[in-house]
């Protein structure tokens, strides 16, 4: 009746015939969920000449319990942690309601997991359900048998652009280790993320005769030699701006890479070049040689920095670590302070991110800690040490609401602060700082009211965001912070509204 109630040829006779079938249809529809004794009250009432009301009141009755569940799998699968976890989660247990849907889902999950884990010779030697409506009980016999788990065989890398030794370091498994689809997917992601290849196809083959090893073929199509990107934008911190990037994803068979980034805005320009060498684990570790020039002019502050340096970026367990050594020469003007500064700055940075979906995190935490300094005994014309830490926390209050907090703390130790260049001083204000105040407008001022930067930085923000849809949302926020020389200095405060659009190229 529900399917045909709007049919133009539905007659009274057909309506009554459909109505007579309804009890059996409803009974059949309840059985997959474990209800075999429903009580159904069906009524068909004519309200007007061509207006009928069909009413069904359903008492599903008692659920059908499982009286016995006989289940077994092969010994090797029983010792597999993934199978143990799957078996522990299923609800086909004695005393529970029998559900055909859950029964079929459990069988499908067993077969799917067996294929993913390399048990390719499995079968259900017995899969039987007995339903006794007299005793109103269900009995299940399920026996899943399989041979030995298959192993990874040789990995053939179909490419001619990189050294095989480098690519072997991307493979997360060794020949002879147990087969796992997760590790094949991990290999594909690793090669996709390497930036060396346009396409990556990872294909398991058929085992050789009298062998339980699965050969793997990896077909790799290299990226083009050059990659360019160009962008235009506007921000309240920078004014109008443009950016041009040039990347060479593959310079030689050793996997060295080269990239440059050029940007121009109303407050300055920059040109940075990086030469990247994969080391240790090439998925996460690289040695980066860099050189660049950056210029920035804001109100009464101007800085031009020429830099050359080297850094080692690698993973230390769940932490990302970057150890750097940079030589910089900076021409600077900060209010009445000016000069040329030469600094050799060793530094180290640790960062860690918790959560998923980093493009639009619903729940997550990020922590950064940066330590750097310089000494007059090592080329530099000033002594200083600086520590800066930041944290950002995102929590979902409900499906469409996020709570976002962030904070930054920084401190500098030096005996000659006024000789420090602009890049080593702390400033506050701007779209990524205390909103409502212009870029680098907050901090201690001289007698003329010109901001000169500070020894310390303290910033915090609280934000509530509500999403109207998958693309649109709005937020209210409260910021407080300042660049200060003393912890008793006042903090600037601001509150405001924000509109959010998750555009195809990222959030705006």
């Amino acid at each position: 009746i529900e399917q045909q109630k709007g049919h133009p040829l539905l007659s009274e006779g057909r309506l009554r015939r459909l109505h007579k079938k309804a009890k059996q249809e409803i009974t059949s529809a309840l059985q997959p969920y474990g209800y075999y004794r429903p009580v159904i009250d069906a009524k068909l009432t004519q309200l007007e000449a061509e207006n009928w009301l069909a009413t069904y009141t359903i008492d599903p009755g008692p659920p059908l319990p499982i009286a016995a569940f006989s289940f077994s799998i092969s010994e090797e699968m029983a010792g597999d942690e993934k199978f143990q976890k799957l078996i522990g989660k299923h609800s086909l247990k004695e005393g529970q309601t029998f559900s055909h849907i859950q029964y079929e889902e459990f069988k499908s999950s067993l077969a799917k997991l067996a294929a993913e884990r390399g048990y390719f010779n499995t079968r259900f030697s017995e899969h039987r359900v007995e339903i006794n409506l007299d005793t109103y009980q269900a009995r299940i016999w399920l026996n899943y048998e399989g041979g030995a788990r298959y192993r990874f065989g040789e990995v053939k890398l179909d490419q001619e652009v990189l050294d095989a030794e480098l690519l072997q370091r991307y493979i997360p498994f060794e020949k002879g280790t147990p087969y796992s689809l997760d590790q094949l997917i991990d290999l594909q992601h690793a090669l996709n993320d390497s930036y060396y290849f346009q396409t990556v196809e990872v294909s398991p083959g058929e085992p050789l005769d009298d062998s339980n090893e699965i050969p793997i073929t990896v077909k790799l199509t290299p990226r083009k030699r050059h990659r360019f990107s160009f962008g235009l934008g506007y921000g309240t911190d920078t004014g109008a701006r443009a950016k041009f990037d040039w990347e060479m994803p593959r310079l030689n068979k050793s996997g060295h890479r080269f990239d440059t980034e050029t940007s121009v805005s109303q407050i300055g320009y920059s040109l940075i070049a990086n030469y990247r060498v994969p080391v240790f684990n090439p998925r996460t570790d690289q040695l980066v040689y860099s050189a660049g020039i950056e210029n920035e002019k804001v109100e009464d502050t101007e800085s031009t920095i020429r830099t050359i340096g080297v850094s080692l970026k690698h993973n230390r367990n769940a932490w990302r670590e970057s150890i750097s050594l940079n030589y910089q020469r900076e021409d600077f003007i900060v209010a009445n302070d000016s000069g040329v500064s030469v600094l050799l700055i060793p530094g180290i940075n640790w960062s860690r991110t918790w959560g998923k979906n980093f493009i639009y995190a619903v729940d997550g935490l990020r922590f950064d800690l940066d330590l750097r300094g310089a000494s007059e005994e090592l080329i530099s014309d000033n002594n200083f040490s600086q520590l800066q830490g930041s944290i950002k926390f995102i929590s979902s209050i409900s499906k469409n609401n996020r709570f976002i907090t962030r904070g930054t703390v920084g401190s500098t130790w030096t005996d000659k602060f006024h000789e420090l260049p602009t890049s080593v001083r702390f400033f506050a204000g701007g779209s990524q700082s205390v909103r409502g105040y212009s870029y680098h407008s907050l901090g201690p001022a001289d007698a003329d009211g010109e901001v000169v930067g500070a020894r310390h930085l303290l910033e915090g923000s609280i934000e509530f965001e509500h999403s109207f849809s998958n693309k649109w949302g709005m937020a209210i926020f409260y910021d407080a912070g300042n660049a200060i020389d003393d912890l008793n200095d006042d903090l600037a405060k601001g509150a405001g509204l924000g509109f959010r659009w998750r555009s195809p190229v990222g959030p705006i």
Side-chain angles (χ1 to χ4, degrees), residues 14-26:
R14 179 157 182 77
L15 177 62
R16 292 188 180 278
R17 288 194 298 272
L18 293 174
H19 177 66
K20 288 181 180 180
K21 293 180 180 181
K23 284 189 177 183
Q24 183 56 46
E25 289 178 345
I26 293 170

Side-chain angles (χ1 to χ4, degrees), residues 406-418:
R406 60 177 171 85
T408 302
V409 177
S411 190
T412 307
W413 295 271
T414 182
D415 293 330
K416 296 183 289 186
F417 177 79
H418 289 286

Side-chain angles (χ1 to χ4, degrees), residues 3-60:
Q3 292 174 352
Q4 299 189 32
K5 64 183 181 181
H7 199 284
L9 299 179
L10 181 63
S11 63
E12 179 181 345
R14 179 157 182 77
L15 177 62
R16 292 188 180 278
R17 288 194 298 272
L18 293 174
H19 177 66
K20 288 181 180 180
K21 293 180 180 181
K23 284 189 177 183
Q24 183 56 46
E25 289 178 345
I26 293 170
T27 300
S28 299
L30 286 169
Q31 289 176 357
Y33 300 95
Y35 295 92
Y36 284 80
R37 292 179 176 174
V39 178
I40 303 169
D41 180 30
K43 295 180 180 178
L44 184 64
T45 306
Q46 186 174 13
L47 303 179
E48 298 174 4
E50 295 185 357
N51 191 355
W52 296 77
L53 175 64
T55 305
Y56 304 96
T57 304
I58 305 164
D59 178 359

